[in-house]
Amino acid sequence: MNANSQLTTTSQGQAPSRPTTQEPRHLTVCPAVDIVEDEHGVTLWADLPGVSKDKLDIRVQDGTLSIEGEAMVPAPQNLRLQHAELKEPRFSRAFMLSADFDTSKIEAQLRDGVLRLTVPRREEARPRKIEVQAA
């Protein structure tokens, strides 16, 4: 992103702590996110392993883009879990969007544990070339 970034992260996930018992832990994790900006807008790729479409919640309110999801870690019924550092982790991340972005046209795709969000710029906020006329 350029020096005048218009998308900023607003929340931080909790750092995982060491388990003190063998009980599985429920924890909110700040997912890793890659952000690419171009003249059309920004694209975010968020790592959400184990999160299905029905356990994913993406919202925009008052200029804040929020991503929340809950991973499901399947375990066969006939096996007993010996150790789990995270069981059904929750993911949460939020970003502030400037008024340059058109939040009504955000597109989301989830594939193989990676969420892709496309946030387009408003037409009037896109860079445009100014034609110079000779006098």
Side-chain angles (χ1 to χ4, degrees), residues 80-97:
R80 187 169 69 98
L81 184 64
Q82 289 293 328
H83 176 76
E85 291 183 9
L86 292 176
K87 182 178 179 184
E88 300 174 10
R90 292 175 182 88
F91 294 96
S92 180
R93 190 85 185 250
F95 302 89
M96 294 295 296
L97 298 173

Side-chain angles (χ1 to χ4, degrees), residues 29-65:
V29 177
C30 185
V33 174
D34 293 328
I35 301 172
V36 176
E37 180 177 12
D38 63 17
E39 65 273 2
H40 301 290
V42 293
T43 303
L44 292 86
W45 283 276
D47 293 334
L48 302 171
V51 176
S52 63
K53 179 181 172 184
D54 60 321
K55 293 288 186 175
L56 182 60
D57 185 30
I58 304 167
R59 296 179 188 266
V60 177
Q61 183 176 359
D62 298 329
T64 301
L65 172 66

Side-chain angles (χ1 to χ4, degrees), residues 1 5-9 35 42 44 65 95-98 101:
M1 297 180 89
S5 291
Q6 297 158 337
L7 176 90
T8 54
T9 185
I35 301 172
V42 293
L44 292 86
L65 172 66
F95 302 89
M96 294 295 296
L97 298 173
S98 77
F101 294 105

Side-chain angles (χ1 to χ4, degrees), residues 14 18 22 26 30 37 40 42 54 64 68 78 84 88 95 103 111-112 114 121 123-124 129 132-133 135:
Q14 294 173 294
R18 293 190 184 269
Q22 288 189 350
H26 293 274
C30 185
E37 180 177 12
H40 301 290
V42 293
D54 60 321
T64 301
E68 294 183 5
N78 58 348
E88 300 174 10
F95 302 89
T103 58
R111 184 175 179 194
D112 298 329
V114 178
R121 252 183 235 293
E123 189 64 39
E124 59 273 8
K129 184 174 179 163
V132 178
Q133 297 180 353

